[in-house]
Amino acid sequence: MTSTQARRMRRPVLQAAIDASAKCAKAVIDPDLFFRADGQPPAPWQAQRTEAIRFCHGCPVRTACEELALRDGDGNPRVDDLVRGGRSGYELVALRELQAQRLAAAITADEASDQEWNELTDLAVKLNREARRMPTRSSGMPHQAALLRQQKARIAELAAKLAVVRTARRARTGWEVAA
């Protein structure tokens, strides 16, 4: 994965790639390698940090990890205390400052994608509930056939809304036609 590819991906895709392929998740390695211990002197931390960076450079999803670290705001300008995506905390801070405008746009797109996903799931849940609901009539209510027509209309309306959101999402991500 190139850095350009990682930059174009949305947060959930980046996280899924890391979860599935990260070298640190698959290898038997102490996760503490990537974090400076409280009160750890600079010299041992520098050696540990160098080892962690070297380990990251062989990872197939290093760029995705770096991109996610930048979006998450990892790194501290006052304290170098972590390695993520093959970068030290100071390097992440410097990159985030250089790419502030791009990262702001990526974070906004991630948030919009999350809102769209929430809308999709909400519509799907409503559609499912409506389709499973059995309309019943009580005194003074319309005939059962009329209730079923009303339910069918509500189901069609929810299905149409769901299709609009899904189609727009697919078109924006390059999946205009479902496979």
Side-chain angles (χ1 to χ4, degrees):
M1 173 181 308
T2 67
S3 60
T4 302
Q5 289 170 324
R7 288 175 181 163
R8 290 184 179 153
M9 291 182 178
R10 297 283 58 94
R11 184 177 220 304
V13 178
L14 290 167
Q15 188 64 59
I18 292 166
D19 293 344
S21 303
K23 186 176 166 185
C24 60
K26 295 184 178 215
V28 179
I29 187 164
D30 184 4
D32 290 338
L33 172 68
F34 302 97
F35 300 96
R36 184 177 186 174
D38 290 338
Q40 184 178 19
W45 167 242
Q46 288 174 356
Q48 180 181 334
R49 181 184 61 208
T50 300
E51 182 183 348
I53 289 170
R54 190 172 321 142
F55 182 84
C56 287
H57 280 285
C59 183
V61 290
R62 185 191 63 76
T63 55
C65 188
E66 177 186 305
E67 179 67 19
L68 206 52
L70 291 170
R71 291 183 192 190
D72 288 347
D74 284 353
N76 184 330
R78 294 181 306 264
V79 181
D80 183 22
D81 59 354
L82 65 87
V83 171
R84 188 159 174 209
R87 304 275 186 183
S88 71
Y90 289 151
E91 291 172 323
L92 289 170
V93 169
L95 275 174
R96 199 169 45 254
E97 289 172 0
L98 283 173
Q99 300 177 18
Q101 194 172 17
R102 180 193 67 78
L103 287 168
I107 291 167
T108 300
D110 287 343
E111 290 167 353
S113 179
D114 289 347
Q115 290 171 353
E116 185 180 58
W117 178 255
N118 290 340
E119 182 181 4
L120 269 175
T121 44
D122 184 49
L123 284 169
V125 166
K126 286 179 182 177
L127 179 62
N128 188 354
R129 279 193 193 133
E130 189 62 37
R132 290 188 356 224
R133 191 175 66 77
M134 184 55 130
T136 56
R137 67 185 189 113
S138 60
S139 60
M141 294 296 290
H143 189 272
Q144 188 73 16
L147 290 173
L148 287 172
R149 280 193 301 275
Q150 289 172 356
Q151 181 185 26
K152 186 177 177 181
R154 284 191 302 270
I155 289 172
E157 179 185 345
L158 287 169
K161 286 180 182 178
L162 187 66
V164 166
V165 174
R166 186 179 290 147
T167 301
R169 185 177 174 91
R170 285 180 177 164
R172 198 174 42 266
T173 58
W175 290 84
E176 290 87 3
V177 179

